[in-house]
Amino acid sequence: MATTSSTTRTLGVLSIATNVYLRYWMDLAQSIDRHVRVFDSVTLHVFTDQAKEAREFASTLKHCSVKVHEIEPLRWPEATLFRYKIFAEHSASFSEDFLMYLDADTIVNQDLERDLPQQLQESGILLVEQAGSWRPRNGARLIRFFALHPGAIFEDTRKIIVEGGRGTWERRRQSAAFVERSLRKTYVTGAVWMGTREAMLGMIRELAERVTLDWNDGIIAVWHDESHLNWWNAHYRPRLLDPRYYFFPGQRHLDELPNIIALIRKDEITR
């Protein structure tokens, strides 16, 4: 596990923002500039095909610095599937104590929790439970959830019986993202993940290799990079954060949670 100075805690935020996603990333960057204060300094690493526009925008931020990494204008699914490969190829550029990946179409709505750096230091990697698969831990709230969503108990039961757990798992054994039924415990989102630099780079390199194995065999995992992340989650069992770090607005079962990082609603076709 990486060690950090007793006086500084630096964060690098990685995002891919090609094509129309650069505009979404600009909104994300401004929200990080407002709300991310638990680290001594924050550097935004943006991977984009619009380097000039990104550099011009960077001067408008008050607290965060920006490193622009120019890449090809990737389309779906390459922009999501190859993110581990892209980050692995640029790993020498990441000098921060901690790294956080955020989808370009997310937004930071509240200050990050003050103990997050300590959690990262202690855990190495923190992943976030996928909002649609997450269920309240409190018994009364769980009962309320099923009362509000009467169909969910049947769907949950079906998923557990048929697939072994909630979530969209890769079930083809030919894929490097395949997860054995017995390991399909908790499904995580690919939109937000974080950790110490050393742990993150280790995970990124391993997943880049596994995606390449699939690609060379003509296989694309059922949920692309997220499927590979869930393979890693199932086998390494890191500490998990609840969906306060990837909040879906309008889902009533999340009402008990703070809305720290959220998916934004897009008004255009982006694939």
Side-chain angles (χ1 to χ4, degrees):
M1 182 180 295
T3 58
T4 62
S5 165
S6 60
T7 57
T8 61
R9 297 180 300 187
T10 59
L11 175 69
V13 181
L14 319 182
S15 300
I16 294 177
T18 56
N19 305 301
V20 299
Y21 277 90
L22 183 64
R23 175 163 58 84
Y24 297 123
W25 173 81
M26 289 178 178
D27 291 339
L28 169 62
Q30 289 175 333
S31 73
I32 295 172
D33 204 44
R34 289 191 299 270
H35 292 296
V36 178
R37 294 287 183 272
V38 297
F39 297 92
D40 297 292
S41 68
V42 178
T43 300
L44 309 183
H45 293 269
V46 59
F47 294 79
T48 183
D49 57 333
Q50 301 156 75
K52 180 176 181 291
E53 292 87 342
R55 291 190 179 99
E56 290 174 350
F57 167 81
S59 64
T60 68
L61 300 177
K62 296 180 179 179
H63 305 289
C64 298
S65 60
V66 176
K67 286 188 178 180
V68 178
H69 307 270
E70 190 163 9
I71 60 174
E72 295 297 316
L74 299 174
R75 296 286 183 180
W76 184 270
E78 289 86 353
T80 182
L81 191 61
F82 294 152
R83 63 186 48 167
Y84 305 122
K85 180 177 183 291
I86 292 169
F87 296 153
E89 290 173 346
H90 290 81
S91 60
S93 301
F94 311 142
S95 60
E96 296 79 20
D97 299 319
F98 303 102
L99 299 175
M100 176 185 294
Y101 170 79
L102 292 178
D103 270 359
D105 57 352
T106 57
I107 201 84
V108 181
N109 289 314
Q110 300 181 24
D111 292 347
L112 301 185
E113 292 169 310
R114 295 182 63 85
D115 67 340
L116 184 62
Q118 185 63 33
Q119 289 188 60
L120 290 168
Q121 187 63 55
E122 293 173 353
S123 303
I125 293 286
L126 291 175
L127 303 181
V128 180
E129 292 188 57
Q130 205 271 344
S133 301
W134 180 82
R135 297 293 178 261
R137 300 293 191 257
N138 177 280
R141 292 186 182 276
L142 183 61
I143 292 171
R144 177 176 177 269
F145 166 78
F146 286 123
L148 291 172
H149 305 83
I153 190 169
F154 300 104
E155 180 61 19
D156 284 2
T157 301
R158 185 194 70 79
K159 291 283 286 187
I160 292 170
I161 292 174
V162 175
E163 299 186 27
R166 292 186 297 271
T168 309
W169 303 90
E170 176 54 73
R171 295 187 289 167
R172 294 171 296 171
R173 290 185 177 273
Q174 300 92 330
S175 173
F178 170 74
V179 176
E180 294 279 357
R181 179 187 174 91
S182 62
L183 297 179
R184 298 172 194 166
K185 303 299 183 183
T186 307
Y187 194 84
V188 298
T189 180
V192 181
W193 29 281
M194 63 194 86
T196 62
R197 180 177 66 252
E198 179 182 352
M200 282 279 280
L201 292 180
M203 182 179 75
I204 285 167
R205 289 170 181 141
E206 182 171 12
L207 293 179
E209 292 174 359
R210 300 185 72 83
V211 170
T212 299
L213 286 174
D214 268 6
W215 187 260
N216 290 342
D217 288 337
I219 298 172
I220 295 178
V222 62
W223 209 243
H224 310 100
D225 59 289
E226 187 172 274
S227 297
H228 288 275
L229 186 64
N230 272 282
W231 173 88
W232 197 94
N233 174 54
H235 285 82
Y236 288 93
R237 300 292 182 88
R239 184 173 177 178
L240 303 181
L241 299 170
D242 64 39
R244 72 185 64 199
Y245 280 95
Y246 190 52
F247 197 93
F248 275 46
Q251 295 200 14
R252 290 181 293 178
H253 73 295
L254 303 180
D255 287 349
E256 67 177 271
L257 301 177
N259 179 345
I260 297 177
I261 299 174
L263 171 72
I264 64 168
R265 298 188 184 278
K266 298 186 287 293
D267 57 1
E268 58 190 308
I269 298 174
T270 56
R271 295 186 185 180

